[in-house]
Amino acid sequence: VAVYPPSVNKIFLSARHVGKADAANAAGKAATFVCGSFVRFSIGIDGGQKRITSVKIQTNGCGFMIAAAEVIAEAIEGLFLSDLQGLNDEQLNQLITQHLGLFQPDRDHCQQVCFEAIRGAFFDYRVLQLEEFQGEKALICTCFGVAEETIEQLIDKNSALSVERVGELCNAGSGCGSCRMLIQELIDQHDYSAHRTGKP
Ligand code: FES
């Protein structure tokens, strides 16, 4: 029988976000080869308010995995997309450490798989938003409604050459973080063409 640290045990035994989200409209699943376990987050988002109204988890993992997923679900439920601040590893690690203590290296996969799954759920929601989007200009950030053109201008004219800088100037990428890879691609494209033409 596995023995868990008290902080993990407490949350694992009282997990209340198990199941499928109310009015779920997106989901993300990730698995780890280390132990073969998976986590699935389903999320319900009120599109009008851009608010995460429900977050639920399903997993066949151990107490560490259940507790990590539960902490994430509890922290995110009720937030606005704009509150997520990019959902980066540092923030998520901090959240877990704050509630469950530092995970040992051999338990790192239990939290990493949760990080991947929750990001997957928001990515899924972004794809859904893009499918419904009716505007003329290509949309990059659905959390803040920022078009590709706007970001390109910031990169070209304001020398916003990092995802963070783009976020500071127009918020793009500082919500759920799903568009950060695309913003990075736009920056890379700029770097590539600047390199070819010799222009900064
Ligand atoms: S799509 Fe969520 S931060 Fe850009």
Side-chain angles (χ1 to χ4, degrees):
V1 181
V3 177
Y4 300 113
S7 55
V8 171
N9 214 27
K10 190 169 152 230
I11 292 184
F12 148 56
L13 291 174
S14 61
R16 59 182 194 91
H17 290 86
V18 178
K20 207 172 160 210
D22 305 328
N25 44 19
K29 188 174 172 182
T32 167
F33 290 112
V34 180
C35 61
S37 301
F38 74 86
V39 175
R40 181 179 188 274
F41 278 91
S42 68
I43 52 180
I45 296 179
D46 177 331
Q49 290 193 353
K50 292 191 177 266
R51 182 152 187 256
I52 307 142
T53 51
S54 177
V55 181
K56 292 269 166 55
I57 51 173
Q58 288 168 305
T59 175
N60 63 348
C62 65
F64 284 101
M65 203 175 276
I66 297 169
E70 170 69 17
V71 165
I72 293 171
E74 171 74 25
I76 286 179
E77 194 172 73
L79 294 182
F80 290 93
L81 290 174
S82 54
D83 293 330
L84 294 172
Q85 297 174 348
L87 264 191
N88 62 35
D89 267 3
E90 199 185 323
Q91 278 171 268
L92 289 167
N93 269 316
Q94 252 181 29
L95 181 69
I96 299 293
T97 311
Q98 184 189 340
H99 291 273
L100 302 173
L102 201 58
F103 275 25
Q104 297 300 312
D106 64 341
R107 286 294 169 183
D108 190 45
H109 65 278
C110 305
Q111 55 178 349
Q112 291 301 333
V113 77
C114 296
F115 300 174
E116 201 185 316
I118 189 66
R119 287 201 193 102
F122 284 109
F123 192 81
D124 190 35
Y125 182 71
R126 179 177 174 276
V127 171
L128 192 85
Q129 293 291 100
L130 288 179
E131 279 168 8
E132 288 174 358
F133 180 66
Q134 307 267 330
E136 308 249 300
K137 295 180 182 143
L139 190 63
I140 295 284
C141 182
T142 51
C143 283
F144 292 101
V146 185
E148 181 171 342
E149 205 183 17
T150 308
I151 297 174
E152 276 172 352
Q153 276 178 8
L154 291 174
I155 295 170
D156 280 349
K157 307 216 164 70
N158 298 56
S159 303
L161 296 178
S162 70
V163 178
E164 281 64 35
R165 186 68 188 132
V166 170
E168 281 165 18
L169 294 173
C170 70
N171 286 330
S174 60
C176 72
S178 298
C179 63
R180 290 172 73 88
M181 224 162 62
L182 287 173
I183 299 172
Q184 186 60 53
E185 273 175 24
L186 292 176
I187 294 170
D188 292 347
Q189 270 169 26
H190 169 90
D191 285 352
Y192 178 71
S193 52
H195 182 72
R196 282 174 54 119
T197 59
K199 281 198 233 149

